[in-house]
Amino acid sequence: MLGLDVRLIASFCLAIAFDVAMPFLLARWVRRRLGFARKTLEVGALAFALSQLLTRVPAVQVIQYQLREELKSSQTLLTLWIVALSLSAGVFEETARFIAFKYPLKDFRRWRDAVGFGIGHGGLESAVLVGGMAIIGLINVVALSRLDPSTLPLPAEQLEQIRAAKAQVAGLRWWEPLLGAYERVGAMAFHIAMSVLVLQRFLRDQLRWYWLALGLHTLFNLLAALVARAAGNMAAEGVVTVFALLSLWIILRLREEGEGDGPTTEPVLR
């Protein structure tokens, strides 16, 4: 029976704690410094829930299940599916940002509020979606490590799938779950940058800023997925790092004069 690697379990636990706690700690720290409206944080989280958790993610799961055999047998179709996933993420999330700043946040169109929106948007993704997947991953690791396929009264095909999953778990290096935590840092910076970009649509009255955000979002997801597929997760984290640095540049480059130099002297709107 495959033994449990204590370091791997600890790594999963640390990654889960980071995924869940980081957004709350970041929101508190940045809000104290910038004084963004709490409403932007809440609308950002709601935008992610509506554009991903309650719409796109369930739809993707259904479609992917229906196409499971075709995706296994056709590399071309799999590549097209990755492109579709990347594009749909950009369309859903950037359109959610656009709608948010057009309607519920029409009175909250400051750079600092775009930062708050991005933290709320990326924070819910980190705490619920990514953190939840990490918890499921930890449960699978523990369950598969203790499972003996020879004792299960299952068809040969299913037993082979279980053995393959056990082998995959056995091949995990103890630090690999921490890659997900590292990725959350870059993803958070990216979500903030895209929020700042979409805000420019209204500050500058130019639709091209929305299209720029959509294009960058699609490109980020697509490159990360294709590089991970071709060269592994470590290489994909290189893509995350490049886009994180680009995101920091966008955030600072588009900062409005007087913004980011401390909390606002005005009452923080709720």
Side-chain angles (χ1 to χ4, degrees):
M1 182 180 293
L2 182 66
L4 281 172
D5 186 337
V6 176
R7 295 177 303 169
L8 180 62
I9 300 301
S11 181
F12 263 107
C13 292
L14 183 59
I16 292 167
F18 182 85
D19 293 340
V20 174
M22 179 269 290
F24 296 97
L25 296 176
L26 180 66
R28 184 174 181 177
W29 181 72
V30 175
R31 190 165 185 252
R32 283 181 174 179
R33 290 182 61 84
L34 300 184
F36 60 75
R38 189 174 69 182
K39 181 177 179 179
T40 61
L41 193 71
E42 297 166 345
V43 173
L46 180 62
F48 180 79
L50 294 176
S51 65
Q52 288 279 44
L53 296 180
L54 301 178
T55 53
R56 178 180 172 272
V57 171
V60 164
Q61 293 300 314
V62 171
I63 296 172
Q64 189 164 284
Y65 178 78
Q66 295 296 326
L67 296 176
R68 62 189 184 282
E69 297 302 329
E70 290 82 357
L71 291 173
K72 290 179 182 178
S73 60
S74 173
Q75 290 300 309
T76 299
L77 182 60
L78 179 58
T79 300
L80 291 175
W81 178 242
I82 293 173
V83 172
L85 290 177
S86 302
L87 177 60
S88 64
V91 170
F92 275 67
E93 292 189 63
E94 302 315 319
T95 301
R97 294 185 222 272
F98 179 92
I99 294 173
F101 283 116
K102 184 175 178 62
Y103 296 110
L105 296 181
K106 63 181 179 180
D107 297 323
F108 300 85
R109 293 177 180 171
R110 304 174 298 178
W111 174 85
R112 67 186 68 179
D113 291 321
V115 172
F117 181 96
I119 294 174
H121 191 98
L124 189 66
E125 178 184 46
S126 180
V128 176
L129 185 60
V130 178
M133 290 176 62
I135 291 173
I136 294 173
L138 175 58
I139 293 172
N140 286 337
V141 165
V142 174
L144 287 169
S145 297
R146 298 182 178 278
L147 186 64
D148 184 357
S150 63
T151 65
L152 301 177
L154 296 174
E157 182 179 354
Q158 293 183 17
L159 290 175
E160 185 58 34
Q161 291 175 352
I162 293 174
R163 292 190 182 96
K166 282 177 68 68
Q168 186 176 16
V169 168
L172 282 175
R173 289 163 287 189
W174 69 267
W175 48 263
E176 287 192 60
L178 296 177
L179 290 178
Y182 174 79
E183 182 180 309
R184 283 305 93 202
V185 176
M188 181 65 80
F190 186 76
H191 279 302
I192 295 172
M194 295 306 98
S195 300
V196 171
L197 274 183
V198 173
L199 177 64
Q200 306 310 305
R201 157 63 182 88
F202 301 97
L203 296 182
R204 303 170 190 248
D205 195 26
Q206 296 174 335
L207 189 59
R208 65 178 181 174
W209 294 94
Y210 162 78
W211 291 112
L212 177 59
L214 195 159
L216 283 174
H217 199 140
T218 301
L219 182 63
F220 179 24
N221 286 358
L222 182 60
L223 285 179
L226 292 179
V227 169
R229 180 183 169 195
N233 291 334
M234 282 294 292
E237 296 308 326
V239 175
V240 173
T241 301
V242 170
F243 274 86
L245 293 174
L246 174 62
S247 297
L248 290 176
W249 180 83
I250 291 172
I251 294 167
L252 297 176
R253 179 67 177 82
L254 295 177
R255 180 174 60 181
E256 299 165 21
E257 185 176 353
E259 293 272 18
D261 299 325
T264 177
T265 56
E266 303 172 359
V268 176
L269 298 176
R270 303 269 180 184

